[in-house]
Amino acid sequence: MILLAELTNPRAAQAFFDYLKTQHITAKLMPKSAQRVEIWVDEAHHAKADVLWHEFEQDSSADKYWSASWDVGTTDSGLAYQGASFDLKARFDALSWLNRSVSLVSVGLYLAFMFGGFNSLFSVLKFNPANPLQWFTPAIIHFSAIHLIFNLMWWMSLGSKIEQALSSRHLVFLFLFTALISNWAQFLLVGDNFGGLSGVVYGLLGFCWIYGYYSKNEQLAVSQPIIGFMLVWLALGFADVLFVSMANWAHLFGLIAGCVAGWALAWQAKK
């Protein structure tokens, strides 16, 4: 193997190492001290890895690196991140206006719910077939911290993937399209007592899965373990064996809407 790079931030080294895995590059992390890590790559992959390393040096805070550990399904490198910073502010600042806005509004509304504003706010934000704006607003209301964190984690990660691989306009379209389909489905099949970004999240997952597959776009590739986990989670929701009540039809139709959008855009791009 050939030495590719040496870093003094173990968490950054882990992020880039995991990103190399998503690019199908054989690599190895070699800790030299508590704060010094070497990255070695297979000789056959060195040229490609070197190009990716220079991209990483230019923008090491890009979400594609920091979300790579989720994509490969592990953060177990054996490294000790003593004092290493996740640089969350830099990562948040790197998000688009839409990604940040949806995240901040969702957090703000959840805090407002906690401090006594639930009854007044929910009545004007829940799904209302007579008000087109309220076809979308259920996506930004959440009823628990776990619900909120889980959704925002995926929203930020998948949303950034789509913007980096395609454009912010694609993310705007997917947010509106998947929110519309998932919210209407949940309302028609169950009722208006629901909320959450999960339908959109499943829509983004479906889009990345299908578009990445048909267009061969590696930036949008989602690992099979992640897809499997989300599909199992969806099935468990319908089986009603989880500790939380979920808007299952919103999840399912959000996924279907995202898959359809992914196939349509991939077909259009090839044409």
Side-chain angles (χ1 to χ4, degrees):
M1 301 190 86
I2 300 178
L3 177 64
L4 176 68
E6 181 179 305
L7 296 89
T8 56
N9 184 333
R11 184 61 188 95
Q14 175 75 63
F16 183 66
F17 172 72
D18 288 331
Y19 179 70
L20 289 177
K21 286 185 180 180
T22 68
Q23 304 304 303
H24 310 293
I25 293 176
T26 302
K28 186 176 182 180
L29 280 180
M30 297 286 291
K32 294 300 180 180
S33 68
Q35 292 297 313
R36 190 165 66 89
V37 182
E38 293 178 349
I39 298 179
W40 293 69
V41 297
D42 186 85
E43 186 172 356
H45 298 149
H46 182 264
K48 180 179 179 181
D50 190 55
V51 172
L52 296 177
W53 167 248
H54 288 302
E55 291 179 359
F56 179 76
E57 285 185 305
Q58 294 298 316
D59 185 15
S60 61
S61 66
D63 188 72
K64 64 181 179 180
Y65 304 118
W66 297 92
S67 63
S69 295
W70 284 102
D71 294 336
V72 299
T74 180
T75 58
D76 183 17
S77 66
L79 298 179
Y81 308 143
Q82 297 176 8
S85 170
F86 282 89
D87 203 2
L88 295 178
K89 183 179 185 302
R91 292 183 64 190
F92 187 77
D93 289 343
L95 298 175
S96 70
W97 65 269
L98 175 65
N99 208 318
R100 281 183 290 181
S101 297
V102 171
S103 301
L104 290 173
V105 170
S106 297
V107 171
L109 287 174
Y110 174 69
L111 292 176
F113 281 1
M114 286 186 62
F115 289 100
F118 178 82
N119 291 332
S120 57
L121 286 173
F122 184 63
S123 63
V124 298
L125 293 174
K126 70 177 182 178
F127 191 93
N128 180 357
N131 184 348
L133 181 61
Q134 289 177 259
W135 298 351
F136 303 95
T137 50
I140 56 175
I141 56 180
H142 294 81
F143 307 116
S144 72
I146 293 177
H147 187 208
L148 175 66
I149 293 169
F150 183 85
N151 282 343
L152 290 186
M153 177 185 72
W154 287 109
W155 161 252
M156 292 180 185
S157 177
L158 294 174
S160 293
K161 272 181 177 285
I162 292 167
E163 288 181 309
Q164 290 167 11
L166 298 172
S167 71
S168 294
R169 288 178 299 175
H170 285 82
L171 184 59
V172 172
F173 163 73
L174 287 169
F175 175 85
L176 295 175
F177 179 62
T178 57
L180 179 70
I181 299 300
S182 61
N183 289 341
W184 264 105
Q186 184 69 24
F187 170 73
L188 292 173
L189 293 168
V190 179
D192 62 3
N193 189 28
F194 69 94
L197 200 59
S198 304
V200 172
V201 164
Y202 268 96
L204 300 187
L205 176 72
F207 178 83
C208 291
W209 180 16
I210 300 302
Y211 185 90
Y213 176 79
Y214 281 108
S215 68
K216 308 302 180 185
N217 188 321
E218 293 187 351
Q219 281 186 279
L220 286 176
V222 181
S223 68
Q224 294 300 317
I226 294 297
I227 294 171
F229 167 77
M230 295 295 277
L231 293 179
V232 168
W233 188 259
L234 177 65
L236 291 176
F238 274 104
D240 198 22
V241 296
L242 297 172
F243 60 93
V244 292
S245 177
M246 300 198 301
N248 298 309
W249 292 107
H251 296 178
L252 177 60
F253 277 85
L255 178 65
I256 293 172
C259 289
V260 170
W263 175 83
L265 288 177
W267 177 81
Q268 183 183 48
K270 286 187 176 182
K271 184 179 179 181

